[in-house]
Amino acid sequence: AWGEVARRLAHEIKNPLTPIQLSAERLRHKYLTRMSAKDAEVLDRSTHTIVQQVEAMKDMVKAFSDYARTPSMRVGPVDLNAVVEEVLDLYRGEDSGVRIDSRLEPSIPRLEADSGRLRQLLHNLIKNAVEAGGDDRAIRLEVTTRCMQQHACDYVELRVQDNGPGIPPRLLAQLFEPYVTTKPRGTGLGLAIVKKIVEEHGGMLWASNRPEGGAAITIRLPVHP
């Protein structure tokens, strides 16, 4: 029932956002060059704020919809290392400002999982770490995978670590709840969606602070015979 309410609410909110944004952009295009410098500055600043805040609302609506929906799982054999490398490649590059070190154990077994949902999980984890780092910090991520047992692997562990400011101790136990966030920007739903995806796959997760600084998110996904 809550999922249906969320879908309808997201739809009703999203519908007027595009015409609001388009109207602001048309005002800029039509009048900005015709006005005096003082008036043009007011119009420029006001329409920029409208467009910026509409984009923020669109992101919130999408995150709310993603969290509330219960999509059917498309489960199949998944090479977790391949999915991790595929997603990390999108964030690597000189212009990204993010340094990524990956240590992926080559012998981990395939998972019975939904590869699309795992990609979404990774995107949310990396986006969360990048936003937590702020704008004045060189962001470094460490991503690792490994088996939890040497001879009979029962779990595959995925760990994403960053060099950010870490997690306030008072929030550690609540970090994966909806709308709990320490970031100045963001929806507060990214890690809640991560938790939901992990639970859909029968796994577990937790957050911790690293002794050398930064935060770590650890996920364990079961290996089915």
Side-chain angles (χ1 to χ4, degrees):
W2 276 114
E4 181 61 26
V5 170
R7 281 190 294 273
R8 293 191 180 190
L9 184 60
H11 179 74
E12 293 301 322
I13 294 174
K14 193 173 182 180
N15 269 350
L17 292 182
T18 297
I20 290 172
Q21 185 175 4
L22 289 175
S23 296
E25 290 171 347
R26 284 174 186 147
L27 285 172
R28 287 172 60 88
H29 179 71
K30 186 169 183 179
Y31 296 110
L32 196 60
T33 57
R34 303 182 185 181
M35 306 174 79
S36 65
K38 185 177 180 180
D39 291 338
E41 182 184 356
V42 174
L43 179 64
D44 180 50
R45 188 169 61 248
S46 300
T47 53
H48 177 72
T49 299
I50 293 171
V51 171
Q52 191 177 47
Q53 294 304 313
V54 166
E55 286 296 336
M57 289 183 69
K58 285 181 177 179
D59 289 342
M60 284 189 287
V61 169
K62 183 180 184 305
F64 180 58
S65 181
D66 287 344
Y67 180 71
R69 70 191 178 102
T70 53
S72 57
M73 296 273 287
R74 297 182 178 180
V75 176
V78 175
D79 182 343
L80 181 62
N81 285 348
V83 173
V84 170
E85 286 291 1
E86 178 185 323
V87 174
L88 293 185
D89 281 344
L90 299 176
Y91 292 89
R92 289 190 172 109
E94 296 179 359
D95 298 332
S96 67
V98 182
R99 176 182 170 184
I100 300 176
D101 297 324
S102 59
R103 289 180 284 111
L104 310 181
E105 186 176 307
S107 61
I108 65 170
R110 288 178 176 265
L111 297 172
E112 287 294 319
D114 184 322
S115 60
R117 299 288 276 163
L118 292 184
R119 286 187 187 91
Q120 183 183 14
L121 177 151
L122 283 159
H123 279 298
N124 283 5
L125 285 178
I126 296 171
K127 184 171 180 285
N128 181 77
V130 170
E131 290 179 350
D135 297 325
D136 56 349
R137 185 190 296 263
I139 299 166
R140 179 176 177 180
L141 302 181
E142 297 178 23
V143 182
T144 60
T145 60
R146 63 169 182 159
C147 285
M148 292 312 299
Q149 295 180 12
Q150 290 183 347
H151 302 294
C153 182
D154 295 327
Y155 286 91
V156 167
E157 183 179 278
L158 169 67
R159 189 174 173 89
V160 177
Q161 305 178 96
D162 64 58
N163 66 333
I167 305 164
R170 61 185 176 83
L171 292 183
L172 272 174
Q174 304 171 320
L175 190 66
F176 299 103
E177 295 179 7
Y179 303 111
V180 173
T181 182
T182 61
K183 302 190 296 290
R185 60 179 185 268
T187 63
L189 285 172
L191 292 181
I193 293 172
V194 168
K195 179 185 178 185
K196 185 178 180 184
I197 294 172
V198 171
E199 290 177 344
E200 287 171 348
H201 288 83
M204 63 185 76
L205 80 167
W206 64 90
S208 58
N209 284 317
R210 306 168 67 192
E212 65 270 34
I217 306 293
T218 305
I219 295 170
R220 289 182 182 172
L221 300 172
V223 176
H224 301 287

